[in-house]
Amino acid sequence: MLLPTPANCAVLFLDLQEGIVPASQTNPRDRIERAAGVLAELCALHRLPAYCSLVSQGGDFLTAVTGPLGGGDLRPRVTTSALSDTGLVTALEGRQLLILAGVASEIVVQRTALDALAAGFQLLVAVDASGGLDPRTEAAAWSRITAEGGRLSSVVTLAAELAGDFTSELGGQTLGLMYRLIG
């Protein structure tokens, strides 16, 4: 599995919207918002391409995500998979690894993950920046994603993979984000 770099990966924030995040029954809003916010800060710090896929019925995207991304690349869609957006698919050309975070795990995260895997991407789902509708149905979604070759991980693990040398300025800033997330 590839380690994420600005050249090989992209991060997809999926339906992290004011009207959707409260539907999570497996991860509280404050935890999703904190983890997704740190993930967005990691994207900005490490210059990882990031896209915010949303549905019109979901309301505003979380400012914890769009703030660090300078407003975010908002990508409206009308299906359950972010990869139905042909413009997004074009933007992802040349990328090998996709990192997903979103609500609901059983819907947009699972559908996007399965489509990404079928398209040949390596895949990582940041489970701490995601939330499901029910523990049983979310577990089924995780099982289906991993059975197809996707990986489950966390924002703090991703930060550790990006950090490199903690004594460098970039490594030190990344370490600070890790501590903010776990503290």
Side-chain angles (χ1 to χ4, degrees), residues 72-140:
D73 185 353
L74 300 177
R75 311 290 309 194
R77 63 171 210 291
V78 295
T79 69
T80 57
S81 173
L83 295 186
S84 66
D85 173 356
T86 56
L88 176 61
V89 171
T90 299
L92 296 174
E93 285 179 8
R95 306 285 167 189
Q96 298 164 292
L97 172 64
L98 294 184
I99 299 164
L100 307 183
V103 175
S105 305
E106 302 91 331
I107 304 171
V108 67
V109 175
Q110 178 178 226
R111 283 298 342 135
T112 301
L114 295 175
D115 286 352
L117 291 164
F121 289 100
Q122 291 185 31
L123 184 85
L124 183 138
V125 178
V127 298
D128 53 342
S130 300
L133 304 173
D134 175 88
R136 290 172 51 119
T137 57
E138 184 177 61

Side-chain angles (χ1 to χ4, degrees), residues 13 16-18 21-22 24 27-41 60-66 68 101 103 127-131 155 180-181:
F13 295 94
L16 291 172
Q17 297 171 256
E18 293 292 341
V21 172
S24 173
N27 194 6
R29 178 196 169 109
D30 63 320
R31 288 185 187 165
I32 293 170
E33 195 163 3
R34 186 174 70 234
V38 168
L39 181 56
E41 290 182 60
D60 292 335
F61 225 83
L62 297 179
T63 56
V65 173
T66 58
V103 175
V127 298
D128 53 342
S130 300
V155 174
R180 201 170 91 230
L181 183 58

Side-chain angles (χ1 to χ4, degrees), residues 140-165:
W142 297 152
S143 178
R144 191 170 178 201
I145 290 168
T146 57
E148 294 298 322
R151 288 188 309 158
L152 305 180
S153 193
S154 67
V155 174
V156 74
T157 299
L158 175 63
E161 291 174 343
L162 289 167
D165 180 353

Side-chain angles (χ1 to χ4, degrees), residues 3-10 42-43 45-49 94-95 162 170:
L3 290 177
T5 69
N8 71 12
C9 83
L42 286 167
C43 289
L45 180 63
H46 289 271
R47 302 178 199 264
L48 303 176
R95 306 285 167 189
L162 289 167
L170 183 61

